[in-house]
Amino acid sequence: RLAGTLSLSAVLHRLTSASLAELVSGAVDERAGGVVPSYTLPPVAPGVEVRLPHLCVADVVVTDSEATPATIAPEHYTVQGAWGAIEFVSLPEPAPTQPLHVAYSHLAAHQVDLLTQAPRLLELRYEGVNIAEVSAPFVLELWQVEIARLKDLVLLDSQRRLPGVPLSGEVLLDTSRAQPGMLGG
């Protein structure tokens, strides 16, 4: 019987939607790009920001609810296209008939759902160089790693740098690979 545990700590410096999903026990939802011909906005007034159901929006056209809809001039609102938001800075005179409607196009996007999956065992392979040994290459393979759920996600540090994402976990014994003469399970 083998006893003991092996803990793992590392810093992830490349965060993708797939790696984030693993760290938060989530799933990646691929959202196709497309066109929304009409989305009804909640009541708007100057200073109100409305978030649209999609990110990366463009070609935004806002109209009122009249039978023959009037187009609201773009000087009355600002579009934060990357964030999928519209902020109304003013409304035309006479006031448009609400609710207002918006038509727009949007790009494809990846969305990471949080805490929707059971944590999975991962296989990790680290390819590195040993700087103490004249940059001799080495490989570390861990066949069963249980990564702890992400506790902190720091997007920018106090110096406005992108910090790494700290990871911790436990390395588990893979009995199917623990054979005599091998490097262990």
Side-chain angles (χ1 to χ4, degrees):
R1 174 173 180 241
L2 298 174
T5 62
L6 181 60
S7 295
L8 168 78
S9 66
V11 177
L12 182 65
H13 289 283
R14 182 171 173 235
L15 192 62
T16 64
S17 54
S19 62
L20 179 60
E22 290 291 346
L23 297 174
V24 297
S25 300
V28 178
D29 182 15
E30 304 279 339
R31 302 242 168 158
V35 173
V36 176
S38 182
Y39 176 75
T40 303
L41 299 176
V44 300
V48 169
E49 181 179 276
V50 179
R51 284 180 252 147
L52 299 172
H54 300 94
L55 301 174
C56 302
V57 301
D59 307 319
V60 174
V61 176
V62 179
T63 56
D64 68 9
S65 288
E66 288 292 320
T68 307
T71 299
I72 309 300
E75 69 234 22
H76 295 289
Y77 55 90
T78 27
V79 177
Q80 302 295 329
W83 318 128
I86 301 173
E87 181 178 359
F88 286 86
V89 293
S90 63
L91 289 176
E93 290 294 332
T97 304
Q98 294 206 39
L100 301 182
H101 304 278
V102 62
Y104 61 92
S105 62
H106 61 91
L107 297 177
H110 297 184
Q111 174 180 309
V112 177
D113 302 327
L114 306 177
L115 304 174
T116 59
Q117 309 289 317
R120 296 183 327 150
L121 293 178
L122 302 176
E123 183 174 314
L124 297 178
R125 178 181 170 104
Y126 180 80
E127 299 170 354
V129 293
N130 184 344
I131 58 175
E133 294 290 332
V134 195
S135 297
F138 73 93
V139 173
L140 172 65
E141 289 184 308
L142 304 171
W143 296 311
Q144 289 191 15
V145 178
E146 184 175 43
I147 299 290
R149 282 189 176 140
L150 187 64
K151 293 180 182 163
D152 297 313
L153 179 59
V154 179
L155 299 177
L156 288 176
D157 66 13
S158 60
Q159 284 79 41
R160 299 180 52 92
R161 293 178 302 202
L162 298 171
V165 177
L167 306 176
S168 63
E170 298 293 322
V171 179
L172 307 173
L173 176 64
D174 182 351
T175 56
S176 70
R177 298 186 191 216
Q179 300 172 12
M182 297 299 289
L183 298 174

